[in-house]
Amino acid sequence: MSGNGEPELYYADYLQLKRLLGAQLPESRRRGAEAHDEMLFIIVHQVYELWFRQILHELDAVLQIFGGEHLDERSLGGICAKLERITVIQHLLVEQIDVLETMAPQDFLEFRDLLVPASGFQSVQFRAIEAKLGLRGQERPGGSGYRRFQPEDARYLKSLQQQPSLFDRVDAWLARIPFLQDEHYDFWACYRDTIQEIFDSDRRVIEQHPQLTPDERRQQLEQLQRSRRQFDCLFDPDDFEQQRAAGHVRLSRLAFQAALFIHLYRDEPLLQQPFRLLKLLVEIDEQLTAWRYRHALMVQRMLGSRIGTGGSSGHEYLRKSAERTQIFTDLFNLASYLLPRSRLEPLPPALARKLDFHFSTLSRG
Ligand code: HEM
């Protein structure tokens, strides 16, 4: 007993080790001929599920803060700390594939057929992470595919699609950020002027370049014209909505503008934390894609062109899934709208002063 009458806490009880370490039950052992590597296969999957659990714990906390009344700098710091933790775990998740790859494809064959039709495809936590980040079911090749889940799991995953995701929260938060326009300053008008000047100067360079053949000159001018049209759509709300409806862009126009502003003026004290947040979202998305590619390659190595235990085309399906499941694509694409620092309009002094001070954005719920 401890001093306060409570039973003394014991390491194995606190960590529930009896349950945890009693939960590796190779299917091959149950069927009478244990395959040595199945233990590794189970443990690696279980470790993944534990880390998924931690990621969900962080994501839920982040979503809760975003759903609150105010989002001030202090909450932004808390959000960034949690997102950063997720990225560090994700690095581990990618590296962990190395451990599984110590299993030879032939040794995997010893127990693989016993697993049909179970598959990582049915990982509810993995799907929950995707949904909470903002992946919509239809991006996945073959649709959301909940039919492979037990009814209760399918219901839970469908219900997640109805709740605001991190993407939705970030979109709403960005759209609320002040400073883009007031009686003294219109960021968008300044930006457009600078971009037009850059396009005009690029056009002159192409027209006067001594080493371009007439064909190359024509091609380059056409390319420049295409980029110019892409920029124009940023300045025209109707055009932008059309791009959104066609699925070329997902953020709202206000959110897109704010994200661009944050990137361009990220050195201003009050924009440093928002910039960090946007960068972490890109990092999370990138790590998720890195994991998908790494997993797809491992699957090719293990299965060649065989189908998966879950019934998909295996490696082929996974490669397609990696290509189509980016969530924060707009934040990646912001790079095409950036300006060199030398061409950046200095902010009006009144705005620069404001960005030195504390601000908070009011949530719409
Ligand atoms: C020998 C090791 C592995 C093989 C051969 C393998 C194979 C596959 C295959 C073929 C699929 C496509 C669905 C299907 O037809 O089954 C799949 C999906 C998936 N696997 Fe694995 N897997 C392995 C290890 C892992 C591990 C360690 C995890 C960690 C949890 C995992 C998580 C997933 C997830 C989340 C999906 C769904 C991906 C998506 O739909 O984009 N797999 N796996």
Side-chain angles (χ1 to χ4, degrees):
M1 288 279 177
S2 66
N4 61 10
E6 295 265 336
E8 237 173 43
L9 200 56
Y10 186 57
Y11 176 83
D13 295 337
Y14 178 62
L15 296 174
Q16 298 279 308
L17 289 187
K18 260 204 189 97
R19 287 167 69 199
L20 192 63
L21 301 178
Q24 292 72 42
L25 306 172
E27 191 59 18
S28 56
R29 183 195 298 166
R30 197 177 69 80
R31 307 222 188 172
E34 181 161 348
H36 177 84
D37 281 5
E38 195 180 348
M39 182 62 90
L40 177 79
F41 186 81
I42 292 174
I43 287 183
V44 168
H45 278 82
Q46 288 180 337
V47 171
Y48 267 104
E49 291 292 337
L50 283 175
W51 282 128
F52 291 163
R53 176 145 199 206
Q54 185 65 38
I55 290 177
L56 286 168
H57 186 61
E58 305 300 340
L59 265 182
D60 284 341
V62 166
L63 285 169
Q64 197 180 0
I65 305 174
F66 260 120
E69 280 261 303
H70 289 278
L71 196 62
D72 58 22
E73 280 166 277
R74 199 170 302 123
S75 359
L76 274 189
I79 288 175
C80 287
K82 290 173 180 63
L83 295 180
E84 188 168 14
R85 181 175 293 161
I86 293 178
T87 65
V88 177
I89 295 173
Q90 284 181 301
H91 280 276
L92 266 186
L93 296 186
V94 176
E95 279 180 21
Q96 205 166 270
I97 289 181
D98 288 348
V99 183
L100 203 49
E101 282 181 340
T102 61
M103 173 173 75
Q106 204 176 15
D107 293 332
F108 181 43
L109 282 182
E110 294 292 323
F111 61 94
R112 173 189 181 259
D113 288 349
L114 307 179
L115 310 180
V116 176
S119 160
F121 193 79
Q122 296 164 326
S123 168
V124 173
Q125 291 202 103
F126 185 82
R127 292 299 185 93
I129 292 172
E130 291 182 338
K132 285 178 191 232
L133 285 175
L135 189 78
R136 294 165 299 190
Q138 63 267 31
E139 280 98 355
R140 187 182 302 284
S144 60
Y146 294 140
R147 69 192 159 82
R148 291 198 171 90
F149 289 85
Q150 292 183 345
E152 194 187 334
D153 291 340
R155 262 197 306 279
Y156 166 66
L157 289 172
K158 276 186 202 153
S159 78
L160 288 184
Q161 298 286 339
Q162 313 308 319
Q163 294 165 23
S165 66
L166 187 55
F167 182 95
D168 301 327
R169 293 294 193 199
V170 169
D171 191 10
W173 164 69
L174 283 169
R176 294 196 304 270
I177 286 187
F179 309 132
L180 293 182
Q181 205 155 7
D182 63 18
E183 67 275 25
H184 307 298
Y185 181 65
D186 181 349
F187 158 68
W188 223 224
C190 292
Y191 173 75
R192 181 168 35 186
D193 290 348
T194 316
I195 289 288
Q196 300 297 5
E197 281 168 26
I198 290 179
F199 274 128
D200 289 343
S201 120
D202 284 355
R203 184 167 46 76
R204 279 193 299 276
V205 171
I206 298 173
E207 283 169 350
Q208 291 160 16
H209 201 293
Q211 277 155 7
L212 287 179
T213 65
D215 228 26
E216 284 168 340
R217 198 181 318 280
R218 185 183 48 75
Q219 277 174 18
Q220 297 220 4
L221 284 170
E222 277 172 12
Q223 173 59 42
L224 188 72
Q225 193 52 29
R226 273 197 296 278
S227 309
R228 202 164 188 154
R229 269 203 300 274
Q230 208 182 341
F231 273 113
D232 284 346
C233 125
L234 281 182
F235 309 124
D236 182 322
D238 293 337
D239 246 13
F240 193 89
E241 278 316 308
Q242 272 176 23
Q243 295 284 324
R244 244 182 134 195
H248 299 319
V249 60
R250 190 171 162 194
L251 282 174
S252 67
R253 185 164 163 267
L254 277 179
F256 204 101
Q257 288 180 347
L260 184 53
F261 183 77
I262 290 169
H263 270 72
L264 291 170
Y265 293 101
R266 65 177 204 268
D267 294 337
E268 301 300 323
L270 277 185
L271 297 183
Q272 288 174 11
Q273 203 71 281
F275 176 70
R276 186 166 163 235
L277 195 153
L278 297 182
K279 212 171 136 211
L280 284 164
L281 295 174
V282 168
E283 173 75 10
I284 288 179
D285 218 350
E286 188 170 305
Q287 281 305 312
L288 201 53
T289 306
W291 182 83
R292 289 185 201 277
Y293 275 118
R294 193 72 177 71
H295 170 262
L297 277 177
M298 174 194 62
V299 169
Q300 186 178 24
R301 188 168 164 173
M302 293 289 174
L303 299 181
S305 56
R306 285 167 202 247
I307 65 160
T309 52
S312 80
S313 58
H315 165 253
E316 183 62 21
Y317 159 80
L318 292 166
R319 211 179 30 77
K320 279 202 195 116
S321 162
E323 278 162 13
R324 295 189 198 167
T325 44
Q326 203 176 53
I327 299 162
F328 293 96
T329 308
D330 298 329
L331 298 182
F332 282 81
N333 289 344
L334 275 181
S336 30
Y337 303 94
L338 296 181
L339 296 173
R341 272 173 210 263
S342 55
R343 302 301 304 267
L344 210 53
E345 281 281 316
L347 292 174
L351 179 58
R353 264 197 308 280
K354 268 199 215 166
L355 289 173
D356 252 345
F357 292 130
H358 171 93
F359 77 95
S360 75
T361 57
L362 201 57
S363 164
R364 289 200 201 104

